[in-house]
Amino acid sequence: MSTRLGAAEYHASRRYVSTRFGRIAFVERGRGPAALFIHGFPLSGFQWRGALERLASQRRCLAPDLMGLGYSEVAEGQDLSPRAQADMLVAFLDRLSVPAADLIANDSGGTIAQLLMARHPRRIRTVILTDCDVHENSPPPQMRNSIRQARDGMYDKKIERHLSDRSYARSPQGIGGGAYADAATFSDEAIDYSFRPLIASPLRRAQLNRYLTVFDPNPLVAIKPLLERSEAPTKMLWGTSDPLFPIQWAEWLDRTLPKSRGVRLVDGGRLFWPEEHPDLLAAEARTLWSI
């Protein structure tokens, strides 16, 4: 078994399921109880390729592309807000006859996971939250400029530059240098796989910009009372070098969630550390799932 799916194999494995929200792209590995992997912005399910291979022997691993990102296909007027994304994932699970799933989420995917915990608690068995939006830190202040660019219809130009200038993509100003401890993890095939569909048409460019803008206003503050009643065993895995999502927010989750299983710090980890350390993620998932 390979330790990480390559882009060609991942592309060949991609399937689609039709929902009322559109055609949702996803990759599936393994059998048994389902695990749902929710990726970050502006990535796709490809982010989880290492974890899928490591956990397929324990779970039916499902890695969908969120609406407006990756290869999912939705109509021009489709709501892309976090609440709509959560509702889409419930419809996605329904279409695949999945009554409940273990969640693993990162970045803006963590916003969606918390909305699922609050609004669809019976569909959730366990949750692993990695560096992500939490309570008042959603979106984090460092994203204000990107959101402003998206509102001006210009954030797609940043993605376009990542595709045309790989040195920039892996620089501190790019996503590679900013979100990975080792910028080389942000490989050419990873950039190509997740970013090319985002600028493939005027519609996709517009949806990319809109995905970012609809995370403001913050949807998380209002669900704190529901999170305080969550029955899902939840573990926080948090990078120590992530300027967007400081450790204090993992600690907030630990205090707030009644079935928290604590916080594990990932030394030197930045936003997209789960892509760099799939062995660590898989080991923590197996431990949580054994409870």
Side-chain angles (χ1 to χ4, degrees):
M1 181 179 70
S2 64
T3 58
R4 196 189 303 260
L5 287 165
E9 185 180 1
Y10 199 90
H11 174 83
S13 301
R14 190 171 67 243
R15 298 162 52 197
Y16 291 85
V17 63
S18 294
T19 73
R20 63 187 177 88
F21 298 89
R23 294 180 74 233
I24 306 305
F26 71 104
V27 165
E28 178 176 349
R29 281 286 189 276
R31 297 180 179 179
L36 181 66
F37 294 77
I38 312 177
H39 65 82
F41 175 85
L43 305 182
S44 70
F46 190 65
Q47 176 185 15
W48 302 110
R49 61 198 182 280
L52 298 185
E53 290 297 88
R54 287 159 175 79
L55 292 171
S57 60
Q58 283 85 40
R59 288 293 188 272
R60 179 188 181 189
C61 297
L62 302 168
D65 292 349
L66 294 171
M67 297 185 293
L69 300 177
Y71 292 82
S72 288
E73 301 169 359
V74 300
E76 183 176 2
Q78 173 59 50
D79 183 359
L80 303 180
S81 70
R83 287 184 177 86
Q85 301 280 0
D87 290 341
M88 178 276 288
L89 290 176
V90 171
F92 171 79
L93 294 176
D94 286 344
R95 291 285 286 114
L96 295 178
S97 301
V98 174
D102 300 288
L103 299 186
I104 298 180
N106 176 240
D107 186 41
S108 62
T111 302
I112 298 163
Q114 290 168 74
L115 289 168
L116 286 168
M117 293 168 70
R119 300 175 64 220
H120 303 280
R122 295 184 180 180
R123 307 303 296 266
I124 312 303
R125 279 193 302 268
T126 66
V127 183
I128 289 178
L129 293 173
T130 68
D131 304 43
C132 65
D133 299 70
V134 178
H135 194 49
E136 294 177 349
N137 191 44
S138 179
Q142 296 92 329
M143 290 299 294
R144 295 297 177 186
N145 186 55
S146 294
I147 291 172
R148 191 177 305 112
Q149 290 178 341
R151 284 182 175 146
D152 292 339
M154 297 297 293
Y155 188 82
D156 59 294
K157 300 297 183 183
K158 182 181 177 106
I159 296 300
E160 190 171 18
R161 185 175 179 187
H162 279 71
L163 286 162
S164 63
D165 184 351
R166 301 308 165 89
S167 295
Y168 168 76
R170 287 185 274 267
S171 74
Q173 292 72 43
I175 290 170
Y180 297 87
D182 179 3
T185 303
F186 200 39
S187 64
D188 285 350
E189 72 168 10
I191 296 169
D192 285 334
Y193 186 90
S194 291
F195 284 10
R196 288 209 179 277
L198 303 182
I199 61 168
S201 68
L203 172 61
R204 291 308 311 273
R205 286 175 182 265
Q207 288 175 332
L208 168 66
N209 287 316
R210 189 150 49 88
Y211 179 100
L212 191 54
T213 63
V214 294
F215 270 81
D216 190 15
N218 180 2
L220 293 180
V221 172
I223 66 169
K224 180 175 182 283
L226 296 174
L227 292 179
E228 290 174 328
R229 298 198 296 269
S230 173
E231 292 296 313
T234 304
K235 185 70 177 280
M236 278 61 69
L237 310 178
W238 225 261
T240 62
S241 299
D242 182 355
L244 296 180
F245 303 115
I247 295 165
Q248 71 191 72
W249 294 108
E251 295 168 343
W252 185 93
L253 288 165
D254 186 38
R255 294 191 305 270
T256 302
L257 298 170
K259 295 295 180 69
S260 173
R261 296 298 187 262
V263 178
R264 176 173 177 178
L265 299 181
V266 180
D267 189 38
R270 298 179 74 84
L271 176 59
F272 294 145
W273 72 259
E275 193 172 348
E276 297 180 278
H277 300 293
D279 286 318
L280 185 159
L281 181 68
E284 288 288 347
R286 292 187 194 102
T287 299
L288 184 63
W289 295 343
S290 68
I291 295 173

